[in-house]
Amino acid sequence: MQHHLGPNVPLIGIEGGRAKLSTPALTLDLASAQKNIQAMMGHCQRTNQSLRPHAKSHKASAIAQRQVEAGALGICCATIREAETMVDNGIPGVLITSPITSEAKIDRLVALHQRAENLMVVVDDSLTVAAISTAHEKYGSHNQLALLVDFDVGLQRTGARDAHAARKLARCISDTEGLSFIGVQAYAGHLQHIEDFDKRFKQMAGQAERLRQAVSGLRTDGLAPKIITGGGTGTYDIDHRFNLFTELQAGSYLFTDIQYNAVQLSPKSTQPFEPSLLVQASVVSTTHDSHAVIDAGLKSFATDGPTPELFDGAPSGAKYRFMGDEHGAVVYPAGVNERLKVGDMVSCLVPHCDPTVNLYDHYHCIEGDRLIEILPIDARGNP
Amino acid sequence: MQHHLGPNVPLIGIEGGRAKLSTPALTLDLASAQKNIQAMMGHCQRTNQSLRPHAKSHKASAIAQRQVEAGALGICCATIREAETMVDNGIPGVLITSPITSEAKIDRLVALHQRAENLMVVVDDSLTVAAISTAHEKYGSHNQLALLVDFDVGLQRTGARDAHAARKLARCISDTEGLSFIGVQAYAGHLQHIEDFDKRFKQMAGQAERLRQAVSGLRTDGLAPKIITGGGTGTYDIDHRFNLFTELQAGSYLFTDIQYNAVQLSPKSTQPFEPSLLVQASVVSTTHDSHAVIDAGLKSFATDGPTPELFDGAPSGAKYRFMGDEHGAVVYPAGVNERLKVGDMVSCLVPHCDPTVNLYDHYHCIEGDRLIEILPIDARGNP
């Protein structure tokens, strides 16, 4: 697939180019992102686990490439489309972290397996195991496809609900033609945003004990998992303390967002990751005294989380307010006389980063006042 | 720009193809959409106004083409990107309904004007008028660019705030080299979703009176507007009653959505438009007794409005619940024993249609159990 990098290409490398962007533009501070990549890699090396960061956050093969170059052993994907994009752009070690269950997507999965290096996928249902095996046979592949048992650690979304179900499913995989059982996934999505570290730790410890019993049962069955994968940015400094997980799936650490900025990620007080992701917008109207209007609204920010926060360009103390599909208000604080004019630029910290990124086609990579490069968000889109 | 129609292309025309779609897929019932196009066109003909439907809802030049073929005199666009896509796909009479204010986007505007048939744009600030004139001169065009004065009818987003400001701005446009004043826009976005018809009518009547006074002032100044445009799906059967508007901008009528289904659009009790837009999803997990999990979540539905509603495929009485970026739950009603299995398909009515469409790259046009064609949502994306 050919990528078109949008209308801002002529600004690459130009002094002051950042201030001239056609907006709304998703900007990525490459230096901060690179620091976050290194910080998480260093953490994983110190805690003796592998890093397979999640691409559902960034959806860009060019960023996955940088994570792999920094030492990640592969990449996690939430959808078959993300996995196809990563594989077809040379990213090894792709793990699909959601069950793939419909006939059409299972066909895409086994076709992808033919051209991938170490593709893996989670399952939580024996019907799916059978369907994958049938499709795998149809394609006549000699390479076994590696499956992980998805184990529910309290999220109640996907995953075998207890140790018994996990052992039964692992046996089913192991006994099925063309498939191999390689490990267990345990992702506690419901715990990632608990703001207090100790509270989050305690809840995760309870779930880790359930996982430990399931893993112990698998060992008893002669099905010792080679991979135990899970964790997000919220539990990145928790999961390794159980000596259980072999790898970490965190994704949001690359950007951080307003939600994760509120989470005490580590017992140490400092926030270990830097905000690297902003939405840059232009002022389009100033006809009211109380607020200016910018060109970033419901189609430019995720709306499932907190309200965007003004980061740069607006009077101190001003607040963002949604004003429809394409517009937001910069609401001036009382007593401040500074006013924006049409054409001025402001930047906003993003709410929930993953669905915000999903609204854009490109990262505008910036360094100081320059636009350095434009990276396609090549894995976005459905289905 | 070349369009890739995604992984479902091989299913076009195949019997039962709809049930085999890779999901989450945005589906469009073409017969219902076409009925809605005809119904709105008929309404405008009966009420003696022109229809220039808004492309911000559908963001697809192929759909704009069908609206024009049915009698629309052009298309409205919210962004310069939408306008570029429409013009470059042969759609005439493009009106940009938000001010274009930054230097980069004004350059794109005047460049677009060179290759467009009757491009128009709204303004609400004399700085912008001057900037457009400067850019227009730079390109050395001989064709005047037609501007409309955006007039605030209570939304407090964009638009001259009163008759005095509107008259001053119209004079400024009229006096500026290369530009012509062609009309007034008055869009009451804050009234569109008031559910009770009479309440909505009363509020709109008050704003229409303000608009009438502004228009009267413009006539006094020798600047009689040729175009008075506004209205949405919520006021489609209200605005024409004031004998003021020359054209209607409605967009959502094409799809309707959960929000508009709750609005009494007309004094007649029946809902004049049919729901034509659904999101089709697959069941990916059934490990819990209380609910099944489908592959459509925060990245597949707008989250600024109501919760998606299950339309087809799920047990009667089941409810949708968000379960993260890529997942939703089909929560079973008490006392119902019917259960979904992995790979089953369900369809959902969409919340706020515009930002939902913005998440997808294609319409999967369906007729009964068939996929008939795939239309690119070619005007989506930023900036």
Side-chain angles (χ1 to χ4, degrees):
Chain A
M1 180 160 173
Q2 207 187 335
H3 295 290
H4 301 265
L5 299 178
N8 289 316
V9 169
L11 298 173
I12 294 174
I14 305 295
E15 199 169 332
R18 182 184 183 176
K20 292 180 177 164
L21 292 174
S22 274
T23 57
L26 188 69
T27 66
L28 181 66
D29 185 313
L30 268 189
S32 294
Q34 201 61 43
K35 272 190 212 166
N36 294 341
I37 288 173
Q38 292 299 340
M40 188 60 93
M41 201 63 240
H43 164 82
C44 286
Q45 284 159 348
R46 281 190 302 278
T47 55
N48 195 29
Q49 56 184 332
S50 302
L51 179 62
R52 196 183 312 260
H54 216 306
K56 74 194 270 294
S57 300
H58 59 65
K59 286 184 178 258
S61 59
I63 291 179
Q65 189 59 49
R66 288 168 203 222
Q67 291 172 313
V68 168
E69 281 164 9
L73 88 170
I75 198 94
C76 289
C77 291
T79 68
I80 187 73
R81 170 153 168 73
E82 287 173 14
E84 287 167 342
T85 305
M86 295 300 152
V87 166
D88 292 338
N89 284 280
I91 307 298
V94 169
L95 165 61
I96 303 175
T97 62
S98 296
I100 301 294
T101 60
S102 69
E103 190 185 335
K105 289 204 280 191
I106 288 174
D107 280 354
R108 290 165 68 184
L109 173 74
V110 298
L112 184 63
H113 171 60
Q114 306 298 314
R115 58 186 198 269
E117 192 183 326
N118 293 332
L119 181 70
M120 295 174 286
V121 63
V122 307
V123 288
D124 72 0
D125 191 295
S126 58
L127 283 177
T128 307
V129 174
I132 293 175
S133 170
T134 302
H136 189 263
E137 270 178 47
K138 189 172 75 182
Y139 278 82
S141 169
H142 298 294
N143 295 325
Q144 288 204 315
L145 177 53
L147 267 52
L148 288 84
V149 167
D150 193 19
F151 184 72
D152 183 5
V153 282
L155 178 56
Q156 302 206 318
R157 193 165 68 192
T158 65
R161 55 202 277 183
D162 56 29
H164 175 72
R167 290 166 76 172
K168 201 171 148 189
L169 192 59
R171 171 62 56 204
C172 168
I173 297 166
S174 177
D175 289 348
T176 300
E177 192 71 29
L179 307 181
S180 66
F181 168 73
I182 198 166
V184 177
Q185 170 177 268
Y187 174 61
H190 58 310
L191 306 183
Q192 302 299 322
H193 290 92
I194 296 175
E195 297 189 2
D196 180 73
F197 183 87
D198 292 335
K199 196 172 163 196
R200 195 168 357 108
F201 180 88
K202 268 182 207 148
Q203 291 207 34
M204 189 61 215
Q207 293 298 338
E209 188 48 39
R210 288 184 61 240
L211 174 62
R212 187 187 304 282
Q213 287 169 16
V215 168
S216 165
L218 288 166
R219 288 202 180 106
T220 304
D221 295 346
L223 293 169
K226 288 191 189 75
I227 292 173
I228 303 176
T229 179
T233 297
T235 55
Y236 96 100
D237 198 14
I238 290 176
D239 297 338
H240 64 92
R241 296 168 198 262
F242 308 117
N243 292 314
L244 190 54
F245 289 92
T246 63
E247 41 180 89
L248 177 65
Q249 299 189 353
S252 303
Y253 73 96
L254 184 71
F255 306 127
T256 86
D257 57 21
I258 296 169
Q259 280 170 311
Y260 272 125
N261 270 340
V263 174
Q264 184 196 1
L265 290 177
S266 180
K268 301 163 215 151
S269 59
T270 52
Q271 165 55 275
F273 308 110
E274 298 183 2
S276 63
L277 191 72
L278 297 172
V279 168
Q280 182 170 318
S282 310
V283 175
V284 297
S285 183
T286 60
T287 60
H288 292 274
D289 296 331
S290 56
H291 62 273
V293 177
I294 60 175
D295 60 356
L298 302 174
K299 290 179 183 166
S300 302
F301 296 108
T303 58
D304 64 299
T307 304
E309 287 178 12
L310 295 162
F311 183 78
D312 202 15
S316 172
K319 304 275 185 206
Y320 177 92
R321 193 177 77 221
F322 280 109
M323 287 209 96
D325 289 350
E326 290 86 7
H327 297 103
V330 175
V331 182
Y332 300 122
V336 169
N337 293 322
E338 188 188 344
R339 289 293 180 265
L340 294 163
K341 63 180 193 305
V342 288
D344 282 351
M345 294 281 168
V346 300
S347 289
C348 303
L349 277 175
V350 303
H352 193 176
C353 54
D354 297 14
T356 299
V357 167
N358 187 50
L359 297 167
Y360 292 86
D361 296 312
H362 315 107
Y363 294 103
H364 292 86
C365 299
I366 48 116
E367 197 179 282
D369 74 344
R370 280 178 199 260
L371 172 68
I372 299 301
E373 62 181 321
I374 298 176
L375 300 179
I377 303 178
D378 47 3
R380 78 154 284 294
N382 291 310
Chain B
M1 181 164 174
Q2 207 187 335
H3 295 291
H4 300 264
L5 298 178
N8 289 317
V9 169
L11 298 172
I12 295 174
I14 304 296
E15 199 170 330
R18 181 183 185 178
K20 292 181 178 164
L21 292 173
S22 273
T23 57
L26 189 69
T27 65
L28 181 67
D29 185 312
L30 269 187
S32 294
Q34 200 62 41
K35 272 190 215 169
N36 293 341
I37 288 173
Q38 293 299 341
M40 187 60 95
M41 201 63 241
H43 164 83
C44 286
Q45 284 159 350
R46 281 190 302 277
T47 55
N48 195 27
Q49 56 186 333
S50 303
L51 178 61
R52 198 185 308 264
H54 217 305
K56 73 191 274 292
S57 300
H58 59 66
K59 287 187 177 255
S61 59
I63 291 180
Q65 189 59 48
R66 289 169 202 224
Q67 291 172 315
V68 169
E69 281 164 8
L73 89 170
I75 198 96
C76 289
C77 292
T79 69
I80 187 72
R81 170 156 169 67
E82 287 173 12
E84 288 167 342
T85 305
M86 295 301 151
V87 166
D88 293 339
N89 284 280
I91 307 298
V94 169
L95 165 62
I96 303 175
T97 61
S98 295
I100 301 293
T101 60
S102 70
E103 190 185 333
K105 288 203 280 191
I106 287 173
D107 280 354
R108 290 165 67 184
L109 173 74
V110 297
L112 183 64
H113 171 60
Q114 305 298 312
R115 59 186 198 270
E117 192 185 324
N118 294 333
L119 182 70
M120 295 175 283
V121 62
V122 308
V123 288
D124 72 2
D125 190 295
S126 59
L127 284 177
T128 308
V129 175
I132 292 174
S133 169
T134 303
H136 189 262
E137 272 179 47
K138 191 173 73 182
Y139 279 81
S141 169
H142 298 293
N143 295 325
Q144 286 204 318
L145 177 53
L147 267 53
L148 287 83
V149 167
D150 193 19
F151 184 72
D152 184 4
V153 281
L155 178 57
Q156 302 206 316
R157 193 164 71 191
T158 65
R161 53 203 276 181
D162 55 30
H164 175 74
R167 290 167 74 171
K168 202 169 147 190
L169 192 59
R171 171 63 54 207
C172 168
I173 296 166
S174 176
D175 289 349
T176 299
E177 191 72 30
L179 307 181
S180 66
F181 168 72
I182 197 165
V184 177
Q185 170 178 267
Y187 174 61
H190 59 310
L191 305 184
Q192 301 299 322
H193 290 92
I194 296 175
E195 297 188 3
D196 180 73
F197 183 87
D198 292 335
K199 196 171 164 194
R200 195 165 0 104
F201 180 88
K202 268 180 208 150
Q203 291 206 34
M204 190 61 216
Q207 294 298 337
E209 188 47 42
R210 289 184 59 239
L211 173 62
R212 188 186 305 281
Q213 287 168 17
V215 168
S216 164
L218 288 166
R219 289 203 179 105
T220 305
D221 296 347
L223 293 168
K226 288 193 190 73
I227 292 172
I228 303 176
T229 178
T233 298
T235 56
Y236 97 101
D237 197 15
I238 290 176
D239 297 338
H240 65 93
R241 297 168 196 263
F242 308 116
N243 293 316
L244 192 55
F245 289 92
T246 64
E247 44 181 82
L248 177 65
Q249 299 188 353
S252 303
Y253 73 96
L254 185 69
F255 305 128
T256 86
D257 57 21
I258 296 169
Q259 279 171 312
Y260 272 124
N261 271 339
V263 175
Q264 184 197 0
L265 289 177
S266 183
K268 302 164 216 151
S269 59
T270 52
Q271 164 57 277
F273 308 110
E274 298 184 3
S276 63
L277 192 71
L278 297 171
V279 168
Q280 182 170 319
S282 311
V283 175
V284 298
S285 182
T286 61
T287 62
H288 292 275
D289 295 331
S290 56
H291 61 275
V293 177
I294 60 175
D295 60 357
L298 302 173
K299 290 179 183 167
S300 302
F301 296 108
T303 58
D304 64 298
T307 305
E309 287 178 9
L310 295 162
F311 183 78
D312 202 13
S316 172
K319 303 277 185 204
Y320 177 92
R321 193 176 78 221
F322 280 110
M323 287 209 97
D325 289 350
E326 290 86 6
H327 296 102
V330 175
V331 182
Y332 300 122
V336 169
N337 293 322
E338 189 189 343
R339 290 292 179 265
L340 294 163
K341 60 181 195 304
V342 289
D344 282 352
M345 295 280 167
V346 301
S347 289
C348 302
L349 277 176
V350 303
H352 193 175
C353 56
D354 297 15
T356 299
V357 167
N358 186 50
L359 298 168
Y360 293 84
D361 296 312
H362 314 106
Y363 293 102
H364 291 85
C365 299
I366 48 118
E367 197 179 281
D369 73 345
R370 282 178 199 258
L371 173 68
I372 299 300
E373 62 182 321
I374 298 176
L375 300 179
I377 302 177
D378 48 2
R380 75 154 287 292
N382 291 309

